[in-house]
Amino acid sequence: MLLFADELYRFHRSGDEEVKALRGVSIEVEPGEIVAVTGPSGAGKSTLISCLAGLDEPDGGAVWVAGTRISHRPERERAALRARHIGVVLQSGNLVEHLSVRGNIDLAQRFDPARNARARTESRHWRDELLERVGLADRALASPAMLSGGEAARAGLAVALANKPSVLLADEPTGELDRGREADVLRLVRELAGDSTAVVIASHSAAVRRFADRMVSLLDGRVR
């Protein structure tokens, strides 16, 4: 399997109260598999995505990506593993506002520690191919503020796939889109992830649930 999380726990303090965001959540995802994480607001979906991506550390349990443990490491090591193995689309967006669409992809590729001169050339070819495949070749120099909702979602997906990650993690990637644009973005996820990438999408969307190969439903931080 490409992604494996074992008994994840995550607790947050709010004043005198302790919020149990995750309570023993385990998940495994194979190459080419798309898993939808569903559940009501506050169920722990976003916390799970953050822990799987190494953006947040679980209080208990661990996460492995492509056979390497990403959790419980210094942030610098987690960032390097994330750049090499994980593409992330966050609910708040993953585009840097002062850069063009092409510049955002270039920035993501520069974070990959494995790049050498040959890889840089291959990265540029892949960047241009990505822009074509997400339908943004003619918007490559546009800033995020100039993009429509559908264009921004496709640009965010291109950035997440900039380094051909083993794992793609997305938190409500189609939340702001109408049905037609949502279908387009989901089709691109399936097409671009192919048979080699493990995909986890946290979403309220019925379309995402229908699109996924399998669902994991959360309630109060637990798999139900």
Side-chain angles (χ1 to χ4, degrees):
M1 71 197 72
L2 275 180
L3 176 65
F4 175 56
D6 183 40
E7 292 284 316
L8 297 184
Y9 287 83
R10 188 69 177 101
F11 307 132
H12 302 290
R13 287 229 168 254
S14 179
D16 293 331
E17 294 185 10
E18 186 175 67
V19 178
K20 299 176 176 66
L22 295 176
R23 295 192 270 188
V25 175
S26 297
I27 186 173
E28 55 186 68
V29 190
E30 301 288 348
E33 185 178 26
I34 298 176
V35 175
V37 177
T38 66
S41 296
K45 300 187 301 297
S46 295
T47 301
L48 176 60
I49 292 292
S50 293
C51 287
L52 294 178
L55 295 168
D56 193 11
E57 280 279 54
D59 294 299
V63 178
W64 284 265
V65 175
T68 300
R69 179 174 50 80
I70 190 172
S71 53
H72 310 300
R73 290 178 177 272
E75 167 55 26
R76 183 173 182 177
E77 292 181 19
R78 297 202 312 271
L81 288 167
R82 189 165 50 246
R84 187 70 194 98
H85 293 295
I86 302 174
V88 185
V89 182
L90 296 176
Q91 196 168 351
S92 57
N94 59 333
L95 300 175
V96 178
E97 289 296 324
H98 68 272
L99 296 177
S100 66
V101 175
R102 187 172 69 189
N104 270 277
I105 298 173
D106 287 340
L107 178 64
Q109 290 179 332
R110 281 200 293 272
F111 285 130
D112 182 354
R115 292 202 322 157
N116 53 33
R118 179 178 178 182
R120 283 194 291 273
T121 300
E122 292 174 352
S123 294
R124 286 193 294 272
H125 290 319
W126 174 236
R127 175 201 67 195
D128 295 340
E129 181 180 342
L130 266 178
L131 287 168
E132 287 283 351
R133 292 175 71 174
V134 301
L136 292 175
D138 61 344
R139 303 286 279 156
L141 299 181
S143 67
M146 299 168 62
L147 303 177
S148 68
E151 288 173 335
R154 285 181 277 141
L157 179 59
V159 170
L161 293 170
N163 294 321
K164 299 183 179 180
S166 304
V167 174
L168 175 64
L169 304 171
D171 187 8
E172 296 286 0
T174 63
E176 303 299 321
L177 305 182
D178 60 34
R179 287 185 180 179
R181 289 173 177 168
E182 180 177 43
D184 288 342
V185 169
L186 293 177
R187 176 183 53 78
L188 279 168
V189 169
R190 177 77 71 180
E191 175 187 328
L192 293 171
D195 297 327
S196 59
T197 303
V199 180
V200 180
I201 304 175
S203 180
H204 290 98
S205 168
V208 172
R209 293 196 296 271
R210 292 192 299 270
F211 163 79
D213 301 312
R214 179 164 56 89
M215 284 196 307
V216 173
S217 181
L218 298 183
L219 181 64
D220 296 330
R222 292 191 177 101
V223 176
R224 59 177 180 180

